[in-house]
C-alpha cells in the first residue's frame, strides 16, 4: 500500500492575513507573488488548418478573449490538444500567445508531460518565451507514487524560475495528488504558487487550506463548480466554457470573488445547459465543434479525437441557439 507523503510540520500552523509567521522569507515572498493570479482563465482551443496550426484563427481568438475581459489564457493545455501538438508546434503556440497578449493578460502555458525531462524543457521554453506561469499536469499513464510526484515537480521547479500551477486531474492522469504532497511541495518549492483542481471535490479547497493556508492559489478546473469552489476559498477558474463566453465567465468570477455568491450563481445558472453539452463527450471535442459553429475556427481535431456524434452536435447547436450565440 502506498504511503502518502506527510505534510510539513509547523510550517503553516500559524497564519496571519495569509502569512505564516514561521515561514522563511522566500515563502512569504511566494505568497505575495501568487496573489497576482486570480479570476477567469481560458483553457484555449488550438485551431487547426490541414496539417498545421491555424495561426490567424489562434491570434484572432486570443485577441477576442482579451477584448472580452478574460483575466488569463492557457495555451497548450488539454483543451488545446497538447498531446497531438509536435514540440515545435507547442512552442510556437506559446510564443504566439505571449506575443499577441502583450502583457495585457496573464499567459499560463501548459508545459506538462509524463516525462520529467520533457516537462522541464517545455517549462524552460515557456519562461524564455515570456509566459507568466506554467500549468503542469500530474504525470499520466506511468502512475508514479506520491514520492515520484513530489520529485517530478521539485525537479521542474528547480530547473526554472517560472511560477508553477500544479494540475490535478485524476480522471485523465490516473493519479491523484494528495493534499499532503501539495503541502510538501509548497514548503519545498517557492515557485509553485497554485493548483488547478479538476477532481470535482469541493472539499479540496478547505482540506488543502488547512495545511497551507493561503500559500497556494486554488483554481477550479471544473466549469460547473466555478462559483462553489470560490465560495470554499478558491480564487478562480481555468475554464473550457470561457472559450465560448469569455465576458460572462469573467463576470461570474468577479461576482464570486467579491463575495456576491447569489448573483454569481444566478449568472452561472444561465449557462448550465451549455456546460452540460460541453462535457457530453471528451473535451475538447464539443467545445471545438461549438467554436466552429461560432465561426471562430474550422471544425478540425486531430486523431484520435473526432467530431462529436450527431446527438451531441444537435445538443450543442440547441444550447448555443438558446443563448443566441449562433
Amino acid at each position: 500500500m502506498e504511503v502518502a507523503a506527510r505534510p510539513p510540520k509547523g510550517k503553516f500552523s500559524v497564519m496571519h492575513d495569509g502569512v505564516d509567521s514561521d515561514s522563511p522569507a522566500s515563502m512569504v515572498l511566494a505568497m505575495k507573488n501568487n496573489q497576482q493570479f486570480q479570476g477567469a482563465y481560458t483553457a484555449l482551443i488550438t485551431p487547426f488548418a490541414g496539417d498545421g496550426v491555424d495561426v490567424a484563427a489562434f491570434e484572432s481568438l486570443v485577441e477576442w478573449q482579451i477584448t472580452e475581459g478574460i483575466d488569463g489564457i492557457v495555451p497548450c493545455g488539454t483543451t488545446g490538444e497538447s498531446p497531438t501538438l509536435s514540440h515545435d508546434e507547442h512552442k510556437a503556440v506559446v510564443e504566439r500567445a505571449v506575443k499577441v497578449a502583450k502583457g495585457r493578460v496573464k499567459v499560463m502555458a501548459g508545459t506538462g508531460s509524463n516525462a520529467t525531462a520533457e516537462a522541464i524543457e517545455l517549462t524552460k521554453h515557456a519562461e524564455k518565451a515570456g509566459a507568466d506561469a506554467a500549468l503542469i499536469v500530474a504525470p499520466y499513464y506511468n502512475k508514479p507514487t506520491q514520492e515520484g510526484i513530489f520529485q517530478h515537480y521539485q525537479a521542474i521547479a528547480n530547473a526554472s524560475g517560472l511560477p508553477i500551477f500544479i494540475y490535478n486531474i485524476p480522471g485523465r492522469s490516473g493519479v491523484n495528488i494528495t493534499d499532503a504532497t501539495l503541502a510538501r511541495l509548497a514548503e519545498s518549492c517557492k515557485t509553485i504558487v497554485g493548483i488547478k483542481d479538476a477532481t470535482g471535490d469541493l472539499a479540496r479547497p478547505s482540506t488543502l487550506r488547512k495545511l497551507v493556508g493561503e500559500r497556494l492559489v486554488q483554481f477550479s478546473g471544473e466549469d460547473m463548480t466555478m462559483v462553489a469552489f470560490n465560495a470554499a476559498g478558491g480564487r478562480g477558474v481555468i475554464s473550457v466554457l470561457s472559450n465560448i463566453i469569455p465576458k460572462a465567465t469573467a463576470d461570474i468570477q468577479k461576482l464570486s470573488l467579491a463575495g456576491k455568491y447569489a448573483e454569481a450563481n444566478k449568472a452561472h445558472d444561465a449557462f448550465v445547459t451549455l456546460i452540460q453539452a460541453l462535457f457530453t463527450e471528451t473535451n475538447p471535442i464539443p467545445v471545438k465543434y461549438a467554436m466552429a459553429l461560432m465561426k471562430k475556427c474550422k471544425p478540425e481535431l486531430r486523431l484520435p479525437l473526432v467530431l462529436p456524434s450527431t446527438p451531441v452536435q444537435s445538443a450543442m447547436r440547441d444550447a448555443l441557439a438558446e443563448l443566441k450565440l449562433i
Side-chain angles (χ1 to χ4, degrees):
M1 183 173 69
E2 182 177 326
V3 179
R6 293 182 180 179
K9 295 181 179 179
K11 287 292 183 183
F12 303 97
S13 58
V14 182
M15 303 297 298
H16 300 288
D17 297 326
V19 177
D20 172 14
S21 61
D22 294 328
S23 294
S26 61
M27 291 296 104
V28 176
L29 178 62
M31 246 185 298
K32 290 180 179 178
N33 287 342
N34 69 19
Q35 292 171 4
Q36 64 185 298
F37 299 104
Q38 65 175 16
Y41 282 52
T42 299
L44 292 170
I45 63 165
T46 302
F48 294 128
D51 294 331
V53 173
D54 188 336
V55 175
F58 181 76
E59 289 182 341
S60 178
L61 175 61
V62 171
E63 190 62 45
W64 179 61
Q65 289 281 319
I66 295 170
T67 301
E68 289 287 290
I70 209 70
D71 297 296
I73 55 174
V74 183
C76 299
T78 304
T79 309
E81 296 178 73
S82 58
T84 52
L85 294 177
S86 70
H87 283 192
D88 287 344
E89 287 175 329
H90 187 123
K91 292 174 180 178
V93 167
V94 170
E95 291 168 6
R96 190 69 59 170
V98 171
K99 181 179 180 179
V100 176
K102 297 178 183 176
R104 291 174 290 169
V105 297
K106 298 293 185 187
V107 177
M108 184 185 296
T111 63
S113 172
N114 63 339
T116 305
E118 182 177 355
I120 288 172
E121 177 191 352
L122 293 174
T123 303
K124 290 172 74 173
H125 170 266
E127 181 178 21
K128 183 178 179 180
D132 298 286
L135 179 67
I136 301 177
V137 70
Y140 42 86
Y141 188 74
N142 35 20
K143 297 184 73 172
T145 63
Q146 293 299 307
E147 180 61 29
I149 291 170
F150 172 80
Q151 291 194 29
H152 173 80
Y153 283 107
Q154 184 183 55
I156 300 167
N158 287 343
S160 167
L162 198 61
I164 290 170
F165 272 71
I166 292 171
Y167 183 10
N168 190 29
I169 182 166
R172 284 187 184 264
S173 67
V175 293
N176 177 50
I177 307 173
T178 66
D179 289 341
T181 298
L182 290 167
R184 188 179 170 202
L185 285 165
E187 178 189 18
S188 301
C189 307
K190 66 179 180 180
T191 56
I192 293 178
V193 301
I195 178 170
K196 175 186 176 182
D197 187 279
T199 64
D201 181 359
L202 289 176
R204 289 303 293 269
S206 298
T207 57
L208 180 58
R209 191 168 60 253
K210 181 180 179 182
L211 295 179
V212 304
E214 303 302 321
R215 166 65 181 84
L216 296 177
V217 176
Q218 298 193 57
F219 274 23
S220 171
E222 299 282 344
D223 283 305
M224 199 64 84
T225 69
M226 68 168 73
V227 177
F229 194 89
N230 283 358
R235 299 299 301 165
V237 64
I238 296 177
S239 172
V240 176
L241 176 69
S242 58
N243 278 282
I244 298 171
I245 50 165
K247 183 181 186 303
T249 306
D251 288 346
I252 291 167
Q253 284 299 298
K254 287 180 175 67
L255 288 169
S256 64
L257 291 172
K260 299 178 180 180
Y261 299 117
E263 294 177 52
N265 276 318
K266 183 177 180 180
H268 184 262
D269 286 348
F271 303 109
V272 166
T273 299
L274 176 57
I275 294 170
Q276 289 173 322
L278 283 172
F279 297 98
T280 48
E281 290 183 354
T282 304
N283 179 52
I285 291 172
V287 70
K288 199 78 173 283
Y289 181 73
M291 297 296 282
L293 290 176
M294 294 172 65
K295 310 300 183 185
K296 298 293 184 184
C297 69
K298 296 177 181 178
E300 294 187 21
L301 299 109
R302 283 186 175 170
L303 288 171
L305 299 185
V306 296
L307 288 174
S309 62
T310 300
V312 172
Q313 291 186 23
S314 178
M316 184 56 68
R317 284 197 198 94
D318 290 346
L320 293 175
E322 182 180 344
L323 294 168
K324 297 181 171 54
L325 295 171
I326 57 172

